[in-house]
Amino acid sequence: MGVIISLPVGITRTLVSVVQKFILRQNKPLRIDLPLPFIPIDVVLVSDASQIVSINTNADVDRLHAQPTEKLPRYVRWILSATQFHIASKDEWSLPLEPDSESVQYQERLQAIKDRLSKGVEHSYVEQIADQLLKNVPEEEIAVTVTRMVNIRFLSNTSKASITPEVVKNAKNVTALVPGHHKEGVSAQEAAYSFCERNVESGLNVIDVTHNLRTTAISMSVAIMKLKENPDASIEHLFTRKANCPSPAVPRVVMRETTLNGLLSYPGRPSSTIVWFSINSAAEQTSSLLFTFGAGGEYRSCAFKEFFYDFMTALKAELKARSELIFKKKYAVKWNTGSSGAEVDANHLDL
């Protein structure tokens, strides 16, 4: 776990980092190093895009599960056990936190997901979601539709009905970081895993499908609502705004003592120092979807990046076509009835 330091030393080092970052305005990561009893915390927060790229390609850091689970900080294991990234009861980790290693069959698991995503988006789903948006249905209903659209391709039963509203409601549970709700988050992850275990298509990893199911339920409907609110924004601009990125941050773990090419004032400790990339900040700095869906490079960017882009592009085009049709019908009615005719409510025109 590296060198143990005293709490006063840790507090002093943390205060120095705060001064460097926020008062002296030095372009360095913020490091919080608090060796609290039973819960030692050593976190490096990186928001600069170029630094994220540099650290991500540094062999001194890796994905969390490059370290055995039991060696990771207790608070990290505790938090992530209530998310879609880890299931503690089986000690399984989803692809984003796995190392690119044959020991975890990373490439095989990744290819299995990519093969199914390559089938693309059925336009009937695009039309259905456009209908829902124009009817102003609750986001929860849109979440069911989009979760089915993405995830039935990973299940042995490809019927839409196999992913019920109850399954999606559970998958959307995001209470992991809410004080007092950790057990609820763990239960949601266990339930989602159990559903996927019963229904997953042969050849797919259960935790990967669980991650896909929950991430879709949590993030995609929110992204769709952002698109509805900003119909004229480009996909690249809209989803590189900090508030609109599906994932605000991603973690890495230090594998060996390192100052990360001088970015740290003193070395990070193997398995104890966790580096968090603020990818939503980097996305806004660069307007690059490579940060929205990764750490700034093509290597190991999220498998869903192209699928997400294609779907949002198709939905944007569908909404634009619907809007133009409403406009034409509205003014066709006005032309036929005269400018003094009854006012037309475009929202109720039969499309």
Side-chain angles (χ1 to χ4, degrees), residues 21-22 45-48 52 222 226 230 235-249 277-289 291-293:
K21 181 74 174 177
F22 298 110
L45 305 175
V46 189
S47 57
D48 181 85
I52 289 174
V222 175
K226 293 291 184 183
N230 301 273
I235 302 302
E236 291 86 350
H237 178 81
L238 181 59
F239 294 108
T240 54
R241 299 312 90 194
K242 187 174 181 179
N244 298 342
C245 292
S247 298
F277 295 152
S278 178
I279 56 174
N280 60 354
S281 296
E284 188 159 62
Q285 291 166 28
T286 61
S287 295
S288 172
L289 289 171
F291 281 108
T292 305
F293 292 96

Side-chain angles (χ1 to χ4, degrees), residues 183-228:
K183 287 185 178 180
E184 185 180 339
V186 172
S187 296
Q189 176 70 341
E190 291 281 354
Y193 186 95
S194 178
F195 168 81
C196 293
E197 191 172 35
R198 295 192 307 271
N199 294 283
V200 69
E201 183 185 341
S202 177
L204 289 170
N205 189 289
V206 177
I207 187 63
D208 295 336
V209 177
T210 304
H211 171 264
N212 296 341
L213 177 77
R214 296 199 66 195
T215 299
T216 305
I218 292 167
S219 302
M220 284 290 283
S221 59
V222 175
I224 288 168
M225 299 307 291
K226 293 291 184 183
L227 181 64
K228 179 186 178 183

